[in-house]
């Protein structure tokens, strides 16, 4: 297993643990949200990251890493809401929620591996701020597609954008984990 795969898995294990703990605390209350509401939640998280990056101030206390982890988890929730159309119940058994989480997390990692191969690990030379901007751009694309009732002429769909944002967030977390904190 190569280094990127190991680092990716480590980040996703932390995100999965957060998802599980929050599922135990809140159940699957997120199931009431439409994908467009999750898109707006993703926007809030990404915009907060960008504001902190630009101002250097964090008045809420949660660090940027927490926000990137939230983006990972909200992307998986959004993917579930978008693709699991036959899933009607709001409250999912934690085992079922974890099964769905693992399924789409594995799909995201597989996509990352294929793209990472073709792009030659270009993300390693990117700045975290650029990854944040790409996430914000993807959110704006999704919002436009949602405003077009999900229709695209030649662009990839909403789910592909959620997967990309998930992977950009994992890359940002790998960068932040491997970079010593400024004192």
């Amino acid at each position: 297993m190569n280094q990127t795969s190991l680092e990716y898995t480590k980040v996703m294990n932390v995100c999965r643990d957060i998802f599980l703990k929050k599922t135990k605390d809140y159940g699957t209350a997120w199931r009431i949200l439409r994908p467009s509401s999750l898109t707006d939640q993703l926007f809030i998280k990404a915009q907060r990251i960008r504001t902190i990056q630009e101002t250097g101030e964090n008045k809420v206390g949660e660090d940027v890493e927490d926000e990137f982890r939230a983006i990972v988890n909200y992307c998986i929730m959004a993917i579930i809401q978008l693709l699991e159309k036959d899933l009607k119940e709001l409250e999912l058994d934690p085992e079922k929620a974890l099964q769905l989480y693992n399924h789409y997390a594995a799909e995201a990692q597989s996509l990352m591996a294929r793209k990472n191969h073709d792009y030659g690990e270009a993300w390693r030379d990117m700045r975290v701020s650029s990854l944040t901007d790409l996430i914000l751009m993807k959110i704006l694309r999704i919002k436009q597609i949602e405003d077009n009732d999900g229709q695209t002429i030649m662009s990839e769909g909403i789910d592909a954008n959620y997967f990309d944002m998930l992977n950009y967030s994992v890359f940002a977390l790998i960068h932040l984990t491997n970079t010593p904190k400024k004192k």
Side-chain angles (χ1 to χ4, degrees), residues 111-162:
L111 175 66
M112 178 280 299
R114 293 189 311 273
K115 285 188 172 187
N116 202 34
H117 172 272
D118 289 357
Y119 287 94
E121 293 211 319
W123 68 270
R124 288 203 181 269
D125 296 320
M126 293 176 68
R127 297 173 184 96
V128 173
S129 59
S130 295
L131 292 165
T132 302
D133 290 349
L134 287 170
I135 291 167
L136 282 163
M137 180 191 67
K138 293 281 185 178
I139 291 167
L140 294 176
R141 285 181 177 181
I142 290 171
K143 288 175 87 148
Q144 184 61 53
I145 296 169
E146 288 170 344
D147 290 347
N148 293 338
D149 295 322
Q151 300 302 309
T152 59
I153 297 169
M154 68 175 296
S155 304
E156 57 192 5
I158 293 172
D159 58 329
N161 286 284
Y162 285 138

Side-chain angles (χ1 to χ4, degrees), residues 54-72:
E54 289 178 347
T55 66
E57 291 182 53
N58 178 351
K59 294 185 178 185
V60 172
E62 290 181 359
D63 60 22
V64 168
E65 290 92 338
D66 290 334
E67 299 294 17
F68 278 117
R69 289 183 197 103
I71 290 172
V72 168

